[in-house]
Amino acid sequence: DLPESRFAVSDLLDLLEVPAVRRRFGIESGRLQSLHAWIEGSGIRWGLDAEQRATLGLPEGLEQNTWRFGLRRMLLGYAVAGPAGHADAWAGIEPFDEIGGLDAALAGQLARLLDALSLWWARLREPVPPGEWVTRLRGLLDAFFAAEEEREQWLLGRLDEALEHWETDCAAARLEESLPLTVVRESWLEAVDQPGLSQRFLGGAVNFCTLMPMRAIPFRVVCLLGMNDGDYPRAPIAMDFDLMAKEYRPGDRSRREDDRYLFLEALLSAREQLYVSWVGRSVRDNAERPPSVLVNQLRDHIASGWQRPDGDGTALLRALTVEHPLQPFSRDNFPVDGEGPLFTYAREWAGYHHAPPPDEPAAVPLPEREPDGPLRPEDLGGFLKNPVQSFFNRRLGVHFDEDVPAPVDQEPFGLDGLAQWQLREGLVAAALEAPDDPEDWPPRMDAALAGLRRAGHLPLAGVGSAVAEGLRVEVADLLERYRLLAAGYPVSLDGSERLYFEHQGIVVEGELTGLRGDGAGGRCLLRPRPGRVTAGRKATPRHDVLVYPWVVHLMANAGGMELTTLVAGTDAVLRLPPMPSGHCAVILRELVQGWREGQCRPLPVALQAALAWLQAEADGRDPQREAGRAYEGSEHQAGDLLRSAYHRRVYPDASSLVLDPGFQHWIDVLYRPLFDAVAEAGA
């Protein structure tokens, strides 16, 4: 399929799932995850190169986001990366500097694969006579597959045998004209797919095969699958020019009669058990669907020839027939007594159908355990962000990994919210490499945008220019707001300040860098945030963006630093004024104690629900209702329940969280001090 292929990322990753292909190019199965990360990071989406894309009707020169584009980035990143891992662009190529050391061998193996695909893509597009096709296709098998296992060797043998038969047939027909790949491919692979007596049989303890004659061999268990009405016996479709098939005469071969005989052979081959299955219900309206006419005849024969001790033949037939529900979570799969013909391996659904035994003990908190070392401010900030996740990650060592996203097979035509955030963050970081030189910010931002375009992170042509201009305007507004704030604290303080706090044996320590001074002793922590810091038409402060700066602000002021924290967003500025050291120490002690208890059990609290409760109290609305809405979310905004797999595991709905007796307590302990500090600063 190479001539018609788009060479999408998913297509090549699927190709590398074949062990014989990986073996040919020396790619280990354990390296596929690294290769996937490189492919995504280097901006590969689809297309072998610009030439291959042009054959699909696209304009020439569209090299961005192709495999050649990404491979050049990988190889250049390895070749020119400096000691710090950063490299400058060369010849219009933005280096991908995530590759280094012995990992470079994997990039070389990928290059070999792409070279082979490019070579055979060109070869398979040219029509040639049958003899030349045989030589090419054998070369294709040798170029991409290294068979070691018995089944692989057998399959390649079948492919070669079918190719040899096709060559013989072409020679017998004196076919010497050039043929396109589509004709050759259909004839070759169709011959391989056709069942024949040369198929492997009795190759293991369990055999999968089609119903074929001359196989009346005794088996302990015979399973006949897919015995649906209309599918078996098979209804042959005669060609319009096949007069013998259209005018059936007594004595002619009948495919339906052959299928009846095969069904009888299978029935006689079963020694202990015969299993017959069919689709008994419609997936559209659950209407009953009959089995094959042969199965109906067998059922009628059982009902008329055998009976239960009470003389009821239909009852025996019902006892032999099992109707499985459509869904694994059906109540029928979980009988109360645990006995019956129905069962399921999906035991996680049992709790929804059966209440736990009355003597089952309730969950008790784990015993307290001191941390292995000092905590960082980031640890407390992560705890405030999601206390339940902190319990699962740190105490239980459990990580509910999100589903691995499927490979992206289309080049970017636009940017979603997360992508815009990441690009704005990179532009801000590039500009603020010279924090005290605002005149140098625009050139740095332009250079960063050019790098994003070379890296394939922006859409092509005019769309990419429009997106880049939008990012430039947003970041320029943020940088202007940052410049005005920095003017109030014009002195850039070198070095770092040590942060330290201790409570009941738990130590929290870290370093604070990037401080600015006003020249009169006042110090400020100024942080840009490439996104909104307010929400709604009323521009309500978003307290969630202050979770991490809040911990640092408390520790700095608890140490007597008298620090002001400013968070500049694209729409506004959030301010945390200096606070008395004693008050900060009290808040930190409660926060550390909350962290200690949060390592023993999942605390009944969630960030968005807690902030919604506090905001509703301030506005005079029903806090319980607003907290429930924030927890479950809506079609316009995701709540804690959708954002956190950890909350879904412990608190599956709003009532289980909001009605918990400890919910209000932990709101007051963890989040009310931050809410009050922002309110006082705004006033």
Side-chain angles (χ1 to χ4, degrees), residues 232-234 236 248 252-264 294 297:
Y232 198 87
R234 290 166 288 181
Y248 178 80
D252 290 349
R253 181 180 180 183
S254 171
R255 180 65 67 183
R256 293 181 64 85
E257 292 300 324
D258 290 346
D259 287 346
R260 296 175 66 91
Y261 174 72
L262 293 176
F263 183 80
L264 178 60
L294 300 182
Q297 290 176 359

Side-chain angles (χ1 to χ4, degrees), residues 539-560:
T540 304
R542 287 187 54 187
H543 302 82
D544 56 307
V545 305
L546 291 171
V547 168
Y548 289 100
W550 171 244
V551 177
V552 175
H553 185 79
L554 289 175
M555 294 187 66
N557 283 279

Side-chain angles (χ1 to χ4, degrees), residues 474 477-482 485 526-535 538-542 545-546 566-575:
E474 291 178 340
D477 292 343
L478 172 60
L479 292 176
E480 178 62 20
R481 186 172 287 108
Y482 180 91
L485 294 173
L526 178 55
R527 290 289 183 261
R529 184 181 188 275
R532 296 181 59 86
V533 295
T534 61
K538 297 182 179 180
T540 304
R542 287 187 54 187
V545 305
L546 291 171
L566 299 174
V567 177
T570 57
D571 56 338
V573 178
L574 296 184
R575 180 175 180 270

Side-chain angles (χ1 to χ4, degrees), residues 365-674:
L366 298 176
E368 290 187 1
R369 186 177 67 184
E370 298 299 325
D372 298 332
L375 297 179
R376 301 171 302 166
E378 292 82 0
D379 295 329
L380 289 183
F383 170 71
L384 281 177
K385 191 78 173 179
N386 194 328
V388 178
Q389 180 177 350
S390 176
F391 167 76
F392 276 94
N393 293 167
R394 291 188 62 96
R395 185 62 191 270
L396 301 183
V398 174
H399 297 264
F400 295 146
D401 296 331
E402 299 295 334
D403 294 337
V404 177
V408 180
D409 292 340
Q410 291 85 28
E411 67 272 27
F413 292 98
L415 300 178
D416 57 19
L418 177 59
Q420 292 185 29
W421 165 275
Q422 293 172 338
L423 296 186
R424 286 196 300 262
E425 187 176 36
L427 294 177
V428 171
L432 293 183
E433 288 181 358
D436 297 322
D437 189 4
E439 295 182 357
D440 197 33
W441 294 350
R444 288 179 176 272
M445 189 164 52
D446 291 339
L449 282 172
L452 293 176
R453 185 180 293 277
R454 290 192 299 267
H457 296 316
L458 297 178
L460 289 167
V463 178
S465 300
V467 172
E469 185 60 28
L471 292 173
R472 186 200 313 274
V473 171
E474 291 178 340
V475 174
D477 292 343
L478 172 60
L479 292 176
E480 178 62 20
R481 186 172 287 108
Y482 180 91
R483 186 188 65 81
L484 294 176
L485 294 173
Y489 296 87
V491 182
S492 180
L493 303 180
D494 298 329
S496 61
E497 294 285 345
R498 181 171 180 263
L499 300 176
Y500 183 87
F501 185 81
E502 189 271 336
H503 175 63
Q504 294 183 355
I506 298 181
V507 176
V508 186
E509 62 180 4
E511 289 187 353
L512 183 58
T513 59
L515 293 177
R516 305 186 66 87
D518 59 2
R523 284 183 281 190
C524 168
L525 177 63
L526 178 55
R527 290 289 183 261
R529 184 181 188 275
R532 296 181 59 86
V533 295
T534 61
R537 290 176 295 180
K538 297 182 179 180
T540 304
R542 287 187 54 187
H543 302 82
D544 56 307
V545 305
L546 291 171
V547 168
Y548 289 100
W550 171 244
V551 177
V552 175
H553 185 79
L554 289 175
M555 294 187 66
N557 283 279
M561 193 178 297
E562 296 186 1
L563 180 70
T564 299
T565 298
L566 299 174
V567 177
T570 57
D571 56 338
V573 178
L574 296 184
R575 180 175 180 270
L576 293 174
M579 300 171 61
S581 59
H583 182 49
C584 292
V586 171
I587 298 175
L588 280 172
R589 282 194 291 270
E590 292 185 347
L591 179 56
V592 171
Q593 185 61 33
W595 182 90
R596 184 195 295 272
E597 294 192 34
Q599 299 306 300
C600 300
R601 61 188 178 95
L603 299 183
V605 71
L607 176 62
Q608 299 297 334
L611 295 176
W613 179 288
L614 295 171
Q615 190 64 49
E617 282 186 341
D619 297 341
R621 292 175 289 143
D622 184 358
Q624 182 172 312
R625 183 180 62 181
E626 297 300 324
R629 288 179 176 177
Y631 184 70
E632 294 190 342
S634 64
E635 60 180 349
H636 303 293
Q637 186 173 2
D640 298 288
L641 195 60
L642 183 61
R643 295 177 179 177
S644 172
Y646 303 89
H647 279 90
R648 292 197 297 271
R649 183 63 178 259
V650 183
Y651 303 105
D653 51 44
S655 60
S656 61
L657 178 76
V658 177
L659 299 182
D660 190 287
F663 180 62
Q664 297 184 44
H665 167 72
W666 289 113
I667 289 177
D668 294 334
V669 171
L670 300 180
Y671 302 108
R672 189 175 292 278
L674 171 61

